Amino acid sequence: MNPITSEPLDRGLFPLDDWGLVESRFEPELQGRMESLFTVGNGYLGMRGNLDEGRDGVTYGTFINGFHETWPIRHPEEAFGFARVGQTIVNVVDAKVIRLYVDDQPFVLSEVEVLHHTRRLDFRDGVLIREAVWRTPTGKVITVRTRRMIPLTERHLAVVEYEVESDADASLLISSQLVNRQDGVDEEGTARSLDDESFDPRKAETLENRVLQPKLKVRDGGRILLGYRTTNSELGLVCGVDHRIETENDWDEAHQLEDDIAKQIYRVRAKAGQPVRIVKTVAYHTSDDVSIRELRDRCNRTLDRIGRLRLDELYEAQHAWLEEFWRCSDVEIEGQPGIQQAVRWNLFQVAQATARTDGEGIAAKGVSGDGYGGHYFWDAEIYVLPFLTYTLPQVARNALRFRQKMLEPARHRAAELNQRGALFPWRTINGLESSAYYAAGTAQYHIDADITYALMQYVRATGDLDFLARGAIDILVETARLWADLGFWRSNGSPRFHIHGVTGPDEYTTVVNDNLYTNVMARANLRAAAQAVSALEDRDPEAYDRMRQRLDLDPDELVDWVAAADAMHIPYDERLGIHPQDAQFLDKELWDLENTPDLKRPLLMHYHPLVIYRFQVLKQADVVLASFLHGQDFTQQQKRNNFEYYDALTTGDSSLSAVVQSIIAAEVGYQTLASHYFLSALYVDLADLHGNTADGIHVASTGGVWSALAMGFGGMRDHGGDITFDPRLPADWRSLTFRVTLHGTRVRVRLTADTIRFEVEHGDKAELAVRGEYVEVTAGNPVSVALDDQGPVLHGTPSTRDLLGGRRADGSVITASIPTISNGDRNEAD
């Protein structure tokens, strides 16, 4: 995917709005994308933006973080240590459905005469509001207004409001439903189609057997509860709903209660101008270790408690939570209203994906869809955790606690691969490796170092040393043990420490020796572990002794870790002046991306992995990522050389890539290109740039947008706890303002073309540096630093053409090509 150069949204469909995403009309062919964009969620529970009537949809979904089914992975060719159990997020009971019939005619948006339709997702209130006006065949004008909210203050709750008003007397039937969509039941009880869809490895697996086994169905007045247990993973779920009708019209009610569908039906004799309002209060509770009866009781308690509140209290609490969220995390771009709206949408998505994870993981799609099976990846630590660490540190702490809970299965996984220490899974829900393709999955050992990077970034930014002392230090120790055991010493003039047989973040190059990203991150992991253990011994001897006994730690291990880190082999090619991605990467021929047609993108969907592996071509630029995360280990010239070389080879097939390319492009001087990559990251979902937004929001990219703003254009870096700034404000931006929280002090940073200004908004003081100049900012005493420029300015875009004709270390000439076959069959490139 090439970087975009202008805002890609249809502003007729998505009008400008500083604090909301607005859909101005109904577009049937865009509903898959709209369902994701208009999701409401809180990190535990998410409801896709399906129309309330449960019609005209693509993927009807309600998802609970971590609630999954397992299934046996069947390998055509077996080998020891392969992942055995797949995990897929479950589409839980859909409680948002409310169907409307007027004089027996169903309200189906694509079939009726629509006079007006709009939806707005409000970023300050966290509410999805919809209004539709339609005309019946007899000429009656019906107005439907709805509100949907999943409170960020209430983990298990959702609220759905549905209001109908007719301009003439009418017979209304309103059917509020709970539907088990996972097992294919709709209103008519018809099973969903299990037809295989077109190949796309990014999609979730289809579970063909029944997943949710009915265990409970109860109706008590306007309250309905349905309970299930998953067939294989044996997780329990109960969904409970309270109904309330508010109207001055005459009405009566009926009910239907079955294993997979329940209905509360209201028949209303509506008078002209007399509205009918239905309020659904929904509670979801899940568990892996309590009975369905206990989950039923928990749902009842939640509904009873909420029933004693005024509905407005829930909305007020939601507004207050978001007011504090924006106070800590808002980013303001003066004079760029389109970008401003898109930035806030992205940051709001991070809140919806993380706020109430409460010790669970952050899924790649959050709770907005079933893409990637609902799995957790390393993306969360590298792209989402920085935003949380510097703006919502408590949420970051909860996410790291999740990794701490996964430590024991990570130890077992390391042992299964004949290693000491712990190896965290590349993709998982329950802590077990779920990637059936080890070359691009389990071999990504860098996941260990990514987790420790995020952990130490959090500890240094917050000063939360207690978190380490209470057990998080175990992660550092066990990952350091893994690296010390996985790597090996080799002497050839001088002893070097090597790591072989791994895959870096770039999944287009697998199972290689001395992957640059892995070695750089492992080196930092080893050093951080040694430093943290030594610091704990000095600061808290009792906690240190408990840790030593708990982990059977020999102090000599620290010596080995430091020695391995100091001798870590970091590949470097003197002739090209770059860091090779791995030991053999530069021996391959270049893939000619400039002449690869768009219909062959992304490569992973058109070429066998072995074809891709034989070329210098990247899904994402992991050398560039390493030079961002550990920029202190690279010179400015090396960063530029690396960026120019690898940017020319990067396809952008990964939604993670544009963020980092933007950050380093800004740092080395490609400022126009940095802006273009930023727009590619900013609109990856809003404009569906990867063609798969219907599967859910790319949560890592939404978190990365903040990094691109604060660390790319804002020039912020945190290397070892030292916070520095070297800004790169885009030439067409008047100012950029963002917040950073350091050791409990929130600092407002405002960047213009000639100054950067720091002001304490909350707390006491913060210590910073701007281009080598020390700055201490205290409460009530803002500090401004003059800027002579916004860094170097380079023009153009790196291309494979720039690399052709150069020579490798062995003297061979660098060439580029596209894999083709002579008979013009499906892999022919032109």
Side-chain angles (χ1 to χ4, degrees):
M1 182 188 73
N2 294 323
I4 61 176
T5 59
S6 61
E7 181 184 293
L9 292 186
D10 173 359
R11 284 302 175 185
L13 177 60
F14 295 109
L16 287 172
D17 186 325
D18 282 353
W19 288 101
L21 180 68
V22 178
E23 175 192 47
S24 66
R25 63 181 183 268
F26 175 65
E27 296 283 357
E29 68 278 6
L30 298 180
Q31 285 312 295
R33 171 179 162 197
M34 296 301 190
E35 290 164 6
S36 294
L37 298 184
F38 287 96
T39 291
V40 291
N42 65 4
Y44 169 76
L45 172 65
M47 289 180 168
R48 284 175 61 79
N50 307 117
L51 299 178
D52 302 81
E53 295 76 28
R55 307 285 196 186
D56 296 315
V58 175
T59 301
Y60 302 102
T62 301
F63 298 100
I64 291 177
N65 187 4
F67 190 80
H68 68 281
E69 177 64 312
T70 56
W71 43 275
I73 298 175
R74 296 182 175 89
H75 299 277
E77 300 283 345
E78 285 287 355
F80 180 80
F82 277 12
R84 299 295 174 196
V85 180
Q87 306 140 41
T88 301
I89 195 168
V90 172
N91 192 350
V92 300
V93 179
D94 189 354
K96 60 183 178 289
V97 179
I98 299 179
R99 291 185 171 168
L100 170 65
Y101 301 80
V102 178
D103 297 334
D104 297 329
Q105 168 154 350
F107 174 38
V108 180
L109 204 61
S110 61
E111 298 176 3
V112 300
E113 181 186 355
V114 180
L115 305 180
H116 168 74
H117 179 268
T118 185
R119 285 192 290 179
R120 183 175 188 269
L121 181 61
D122 191 295
F123 307 151
R124 287 185 291 195
D125 290 331
V127 177
L128 176 62
I129 300 171
R130 170 195 179 209
E131 181 175 275
V133 181
W134 58 289
R135 193 190 332 263
T136 71
T138 59
K140 297 175 182 178
V141 176
I142 311 298
T143 300
V144 176
R145 302 181 185 91
T146 69
R147 286 203 296 181
R148 186 183 301 168
M149 177 182 71
I150 294 182
L152 295 154
T153 57
E154 295 281 349
R155 191 170 194 244
H156 301 278
L157 193 67
V159 178
V160 178
E161 297 181 70
Y162 196 94
E163 182 178 284
V164 185
E165 184 176 339
S166 174
D167 73 341
D169 293 357
S171 173
L172 307 182
L173 187 145
I174 303 172
S175 176
S176 172
Q177 303 183 5
L178 285 77
V179 184
N180 172 13
R181 295 194 184 278
Q182 176 66 51
D183 294 302
V185 176
D186 62 15
E187 187 178 23
E188 289 74 36
T190 306
R192 64 181 168 85
S193 171
L194 294 176
D195 293 343
D196 190 26
E197 299 182 8
S198 60
F199 167 73
D200 189 339
R202 301 166 297 184
K203 289 183 177 292
E205 298 81 5
T206 298
L207 299 173
E208 297 187 356
N209 299 318
R210 185 174 180 101
V211 173
L212 294 172
Q213 300 295 335
K215 298 295 180 182
L216 173 75
K217 54 182 178 183
V218 175
R219 186 186 70 80
D220 182 7
R223 180 172 296 182
I224 301 172
L225 297 101
L226 294 180
Y228 301 88
R229 193 170 294 282
T230 51
T231 302
N232 298 324
S233 59
E234 298 185 340
L235 303 181
L237 161 74
V238 173
C239 174
V241 179
D242 269 347
H243 291 88
R244 186 171 80 248
I245 182 170
E246 300 173 356
T247 185
E248 295 182 5
N249 296 297
D250 293 333
W251 59 275
D252 56 51
E253 61 183 323
H255 314 279
Q256 178 180 335
L257 185 63
E258 300 177 13
D259 286 344
D260 291 316
I261 189 167
K263 301 179 185 179
Q264 177 83 4
I265 303 168
Y266 296 100
R267 299 184 183 92
V268 183
R269 293 168 290 283
K271 298 296 183 180
Q274 294 286 354
V276 181
R277 181 166 172 259
I278 306 296
V279 179
K280 293 177 76 168
T281 308
V282 188
Y284 289 89
H285 280 269
T286 56
S287 178
D288 61 356
D289 61 359
V290 304
S291 67
I292 296 297
R293 177 175 296 182
E294 169 62 20
L295 292 176
R296 176 201 65 188
D297 293 344
R298 292 178 184 180
C299 275
N300 281 326
R301 284 194 292 269
T302 297
L303 294 173
D304 289 344
R305 178 174 58 83
I306 298 303
R308 290 190 288 269
L309 300 175
R310 290 182 298 104
L311 192 58
D312 285 349
E313 292 181 70
L314 291 174
Y315 290 111
E316 289 163 4
Q318 179 88 329
H319 179 84
W321 192 97
L322 282 165
E323 190 172 45
E324 180 62 21
F325 169 78
W326 292 115
R327 189 177 293 122
C328 296
S329 63
D330 192 21
V331 178
E332 300 152 73
I333 301 100
E334 187 180 1
Q336 297 287 341
I339 292 175
Q340 180 68 78
Q341 179 189 28
V343 164
R344 286 186 175 136
W345 180 87
N346 276 267
L347 299 185
F348 180 68
Q349 294 308 314
V350 182
Q352 292 203 128
T354 64
R356 296 309 305 270
T357 51
D358 294 6
E360 296 299 325
I362 301 168
K365 299 293 185 180
V367 285
S368 68
D370 61 2
Y372 294 111
H375 292 165
Y376 315 127
F377 293 82
W378 65 281
D379 313 1
E381 279 73 25
I382 297 302
Y383 292 89
V384 182
L385 263 293
F387 169 72
L388 298 177
T389 289
Y390 297 115
T391 64
L392 301 170
Q394 181 59 47
V395 181
R397 192 180 200 271
N398 286 336
L400 291 165
R401 282 181 52 239
F402 165 72
R403 291 299 191 181
Q404 191 176 345
K405 291 193 300 183
M406 290 176 57
L407 188 56
E408 191 57 34
R411 289 187 179 108
H412 291 307
R413 184 59 173 161
E416 193 172 34
L417 271 65
N418 296 88
Q419 305 294 162
R420 296 188 67 217
L423 177 60
F424 286 91
W426 177 65
R427 65 185 299 170
T428 190
I429 297 178
N430 62 11
L432 302 179
E433 178 62 75
S434 186
S435 174
Y437 184 50
Y438 75 90
T442 295
Q444 293 200 42
Y445 284 71
H446 66 85
I447 178 67
D448 272 18
D450 301 329
I451 292 169
T452 60
Y453 176 88
L455 172 59
M456 292 310 300
Q457 186 177 59
Y458 165 79
V459 169
R460 289 164 178 159
T462 63
D464 189 2
L465 299 174
D466 181 66
F467 184 52
L468 283 179
R470 288 182 176 274
I473 197 167
D474 294 16
I475 295 175
L476 292 170
V477 171
E478 295 290 29
T479 52
R481 282 173 166 169
L482 183 284
W483 295 120
D485 189 49
L486 179 66
F488 63 95
W489 292 89
R490 175 170 292 167
S491 296
N492 185 11
S494 63
R496 306 302 299 164
F497 192 77
H498 297 264
I499 298 174
H500 283 184
V502 299
T503 298
D506 171 33
E507 295 159 34
Y508 285 176
T509 312
T510 66
V511 193
V512 298
N513 297 339
D514 287 323
N515 171 256
L516 184 281
Y517 177 88
T518 302
N519 286 17
V520 167
M521 296 294 285
R523 178 173 64 182
N525 190 163
L526 289 161
R527 287 173 174 165
Q531 292 166 1
V533 169
S534 297
L536 183 64
E537 182 179 17
D538 294 338
R539 187 181 65 257
D540 192 341
E542 291 185 7
Y544 171 78
D545 288 339
R546 289 193 299 270
M547 180 272 297
R548 274 195 62 192
Q549 295 176 19
R550 185 169 65 243
L551 302 179
D552 191 24
L553 178 67
D554 185 335
D556 288 342
E557 290 186 66
L558 275 67
V559 177
D560 294 338
W561 300 344
V562 172
D566 290 345
M568 185 70 69
H569 178 62
I570 305 298
Y572 186 71
D573 186 280
E574 295 285 353
R575 181 184 291 266
L576 296 176
I578 66 168
H579 291 85
Q581 182 165 293
D582 58 71
Q584 290 81 39
F585 186 80
L586 299 183
D587 294 337
K588 304 173 184 178
E589 187 170 13
L590 275 63
W591 189 301
D592 188 356
L593 284 180
E594 278 75 25
N595 293 306
T596 301
D598 289 342
L599 59 84
K600 293 295 185 180
R601 306 284 191 95
L603 301 186
L604 61 91
M605 294 179 64
H606 299 280
Y607 297 91
H608 190 283
L610 287 176
V611 175
I612 298 173
Y613 297 164
R614 296 188 184 107
F615 284 80
Q616 291 187 49
V617 65
L618 312 181
K619 186 180 181 188
Q620 58 198 66
D622 56 12
V623 172
V624 176
L625 178 58
S627 68
F628 162 52
L629 299 180
H630 290 287
Q632 74 277 21
D633 295 337
F634 299 83
T635 68
Q636 284 302 112
Q637 189 61 51
Q638 288 172 346
K639 291 179 188 179
R640 176 180 169 178
N641 292 351
N642 287 337
F643 175 80
E644 291 176 339
Y645 190 90
Y646 291 106
D647 195 67
L649 306 176
T650 302
T651 63
D653 290 349
S654 169
S655 62
L656 303 178
S657 200
V659 164
V660 173
Q661 288 169 282
S662 175
I663 292 171
I664 296 300
E667 179 177 353
V668 302
Y670 284 98
Q671 297 194 17
T672 299
L673 186 56
S675 293
H676 293 170
Y677 277 129
F678 171 70
L679 293 177
S680 297
L682 184 67
Y683 290 105
V684 69
D685 286 312
L686 285 168
D688 196 13
L689 298 181
H690 284 256
N692 64 345
T693 297
D695 298 332
I697 299 305
H698 293 81
V699 172
S701 183
T702 64
V705 162
W706 185 87
S707 293
L709 289 163
M711 301 178 182
F713 302 136
M716 174 182 157
R717 293 292 185 274
D718 180 352
H719 295 316
D722 295 328
I723 308 298
T724 63
F725 291 85
D726 187 2
R728 301 287 191 269
L729 184 72
D732 56 345
W733 290 15
R734 292 202 291 269
S735 70
L736 167 66
T737 302
F738 58 96
R739 283 86 179 158
V740 179
T741 298
L742 304 168
H743 290 258
T745 294
R746 186 173 71 244
V747 179
R748 181 175 183 264
V749 183
R750 186 173 190 271
L751 173 63
T752 63
D754 53 10
T755 62
I756 184 168
R757 185 176 188 270
F758 305 97
E759 181 178 359
V760 171
E761 291 187 333
H762 174 80
D764 299 322
K765 69 174 183 177
E767 297 178 351
L768 316 162
V770 178
R771 295 180 178 173
E773 178 183 341
Y774 172 78
V775 175
E776 181 178 86
V777 55
T778 59
N781 296 292
V783 176
S784 293
V785 178
L787 301 172
D788 293 332
D789 54 49
Q790 292 293 326
V793 178
L794 301 172
H795 300 286
T797 301
S799 163
T800 51
R801 292 188 297 271
D802 302 329
L803 308 179
L804 299 179
R807 292 188 179 274
R808 300 181 179 88
D810 63 1
S812 60
V813 178
I814 297 175
T815 60
S817 65
I818 305 172
T820 61
I821 52 180
S822 59
N823 64 6
D825 203 359
R826 67 179 301 274
N827 282 338
E828 188 66 48
D830 51 35

